[in-house]
Amino acid sequence: MSAILLWTLVAVIATAIIWKGSGLLERSSQRLSAYYRLPEIVQGAIVVAVGSSFPELSTTVISTLVHGEFELGVAAIVGSALFNILVIPGLSGLAAKSPLQANRDLVYKEAQFYMIAVAVLTLTFAFAAIYHPVETSPQGGSIQGEMTRWLALMPVALYGLYLFVQYQDTLDHESDEDVSDIRPGREWGRLALSLVVIVIGVEGLVRAAINFGDIFGTPSFLWGITVVAAGTSIPDAFVSIRAARQGRGVTSIANVLGSNTFDLLVCIPAGVLIAGTAVIDFSLAAPMMAALTFATVLLFLMMRTHMILSRRESVCLLVVYTAFVVWVSLESFGIIDLVPHLPPPGAVSAHATTG
């Protein structure tokens, strides 16, 4: 019991550290965006989104390099993506004084590009299983493959295309905002400090997840996709909810979609690019990506109806996320077994190997 309380306290403190670091990061990112006169959609989808996704990037790198648990990092990012798609728009929609506004850029560019990101990452995992298969024991029966640096470059290249598309939006943008009080050197320094603070918090969350897995006899996958995912998504939640309360629905939703695009196309490949190779359990990855696809399509359809996210739709998103967490928890504790290999038997089965 004392160990549970200890690591619960570590998780809470780590989350608070991430929240503090993310507050610094949010302020510096927004002021730098204003200084460089970036349009609102680009601020939300790239600058603020990448900044608030730094905890997820840190999770993958730390899990892979320090703890040798690539699967934990992937679980945290997929869980974070689900949290972003379902919980953050849901809370933002409830916090907004009026229905959360979307626009055609969000629906037909951001949302659809994010759907492509989900498809490309799933395809990358499939290529790993097809062209670099890893033999498993007959008892396990799971489909595994080795993800190499060359495969990891596929989603990264797609993110490069995403940046190019966003760059086109900045060419015709003109801003009359007063930026005379912004000192870019100070803001860049504050941004660097915030990144260091976030890394410290993420290390605490990852250690808590690993120890929770040991204490309860469950794979760290469960704690990565719930505890770590929610903790690292706090920056996105605060940014989006604050924007929604200020009536900036476009920025609120763009931050969510931009963060998820960065998470899938950059954060997950980052662990492989740094470590060399990593084993992907496709039997586990496929149902998780299917859940993410369902959540993405659900949010897309809700945004497309009258270009708003109503309170009823916001509640629906929160209910779907709750159902997902309950399902994964029941699978992890062996109470139900609707999807084989979810989670993989025993300890974490996908570890990074240097190369």
Side-chain angles (χ1 to χ4, degrees), residues 190-325:
R190 181 181 286 116
L191 188 144
L193 174 62
S194 69
L195 299 183
V196 174
V197 173
I198 288 173
V199 168
I200 294 172
V202 167
E203 168 64 9
L205 267 183
V206 171
R207 286 187 178 275
I210 294 173
N211 281 276
F212 280 142
D214 293 339
I215 293 170
F216 291 101
T218 59
S220 54
F221 161 85
L222 170 63
W223 307 100
I225 207 167
T226 53
V227 175
V228 178
T232 55
S233 290
I234 282 180
D236 297 301
F238 279 102
V239 170
S240 294
I241 292 172
R242 188 177 296 115
R245 290 187 61 84
Q246 294 171 352
R248 297 184 292 120
V250 171
T251 301
S252 177
I253 302 177
N255 173 57
V256 167
L257 295 173
S259 293
N260 276 15
T261 300
F262 183 80
D263 289 349
L264 298 186
L265 298 183
V266 178
C267 293
I268 289 179
V272 180
L273 292 174
I274 293 173
T277 61
V279 174
I280 297 294
D281 188 340
F282 192 69
S283 300
L284 176 62
M288 291 298 97
M289 298 307 289
L292 186 54
T293 301
F294 171 78
T296 303
V297 172
L298 181 64
L299 179 63
F300 171 80
L301 292 175
M302 289 182 175
M303 287 195 306
R304 183 60 188 86
T305 54
H306 308 295
M307 294 295 176
I308 63 171
L309 188 66
S310 67
R311 290 185 178 274
R312 181 178 298 178
E313 290 169 335
S314 299
V315 171
C316 177
L317 292 175
L318 296 175
V319 170
V320 170
Y321 181 77
T322 302
F324 169 78
V325 171

Side-chain angles (χ1 to χ4, degrees), residues 38-337:
L38 300 179
E40 182 182 21
I41 189 79
V42 176
Q43 288 186 38
I46 295 184
V47 181
V48 178
V50 171
S52 58
S53 288
F54 188 75
E56 285 89 337
L57 177 60
S58 303
T59 299
T60 307
V61 174
I62 291 174
S63 297
T64 303
L65 291 185
V66 179
H67 302 286
E69 299 211 14
F70 179 70
E71 184 179 90
L72 172 60
V74 173
I77 289 177
V78 173
S80 176
L82 282 163
F83 188 95
N84 289 353
I85 284 290
L86 297 173
V87 176
I88 295 179
L91 294 178
S92 298
L94 295 178
K97 299 175 182 177
S98 58
L100 207 60
Q101 294 289 329
N103 64 18
R104 292 189 177 275
D105 270 347
L106 278 176
V107 173
Y108 293 113
K109 188 180 73 172
E110 300 300 329
Q112 292 192 14
F113 200 99
Y114 176 60
M115 290 182 187
I116 296 174
V118 174
V120 167
L121 186 62
T122 305
L123 191 62
T124 302
F125 288 161
F127 282 166
I130 294 171
Y131 297 112
H132 303 282
V134 174
E135 292 187 7
T136 59
S137 63
Q139 293 79 11
S142 64
I143 302 173
Q144 297 187 10
E146 188 176 73
M147 189 169 173
T148 64
R149 283 195 175 108
W150 285 109
L151 284 177
L153 287 175
M154 284 177 54
V156 174
L158 181 62
Y159 192 75
L161 175 61
Y162 176 72
L163 292 179
F164 174 76
V165 172
Q166 296 289 14
Y167 169 73
Q168 299 301 307
D169 285 346
T170 68
L171 296 179
D172 300 325
H173 177 72
E174 295 183 2
S175 174
D176 56 358
E177 186 175 353
D178 182 17
V179 296
S180 59
D181 64 327
I182 298 178
R183 298 181 181 179
R186 177 182 296 178
E187 298 304 330
W188 281 111
R190 181 181 286 116
L191 188 144
L193 174 62
S194 69
L195 299 183
V196 174
V197 173
I198 288 173
V199 168
I200 294 172
V202 167
E203 168 64 9
L205 267 183
V206 171
R207 286 187 178 275
I210 294 173
N211 281 276
F212 280 142
D214 293 339
I215 293 170
F216 291 101
T218 59
S220 54
F221 161 85
L222 170 63
W223 307 100
I225 207 167
T226 53
V227 175
V228 178
T232 55
S233 290
I234 282 180
D236 297 301
F238 279 102
V239 170
S240 294
I241 292 172
R242 188 177 296 115
R245 290 187 61 84
Q246 294 171 352
R248 297 184 292 120
V250 171
T251 301
S252 177
I253 302 177
N255 173 57
V256 167
L257 295 173
S259 293
N260 276 15
T261 300
F262 183 80
D263 289 349
L264 298 186
L265 298 183
V266 178
C267 293
I268 289 179
V272 180
L273 292 174
I274 293 173
T277 61
V279 174
I280 297 294
D281 188 340
F282 192 69
S283 300
L284 176 62
M288 291 298 97
M289 298 307 289
L292 186 54
T293 301
F294 171 78
T296 303
V297 172
L298 181 64
L299 179 63
F300 171 80
L301 292 175
M302 289 182 175
M303 287 195 306
R304 183 60 188 86
T305 54
H306 308 295
M307 294 295 176
I308 63 171
L309 188 66
S310 67
R311 290 185 178 274
R312 181 178 298 178
E313 290 169 335
S314 299
V315 171
C316 177
L317 292 175
L318 296 175
V319 170
V320 170
Y321 181 77
T322 302
F324 169 78
V325 171
V326 170
W327 166 58
V328 170
S329 299
L330 293 177
E331 291 272 4
S332 297
F333 284 102
I335 299 175
I336 62 174
D337 188 25

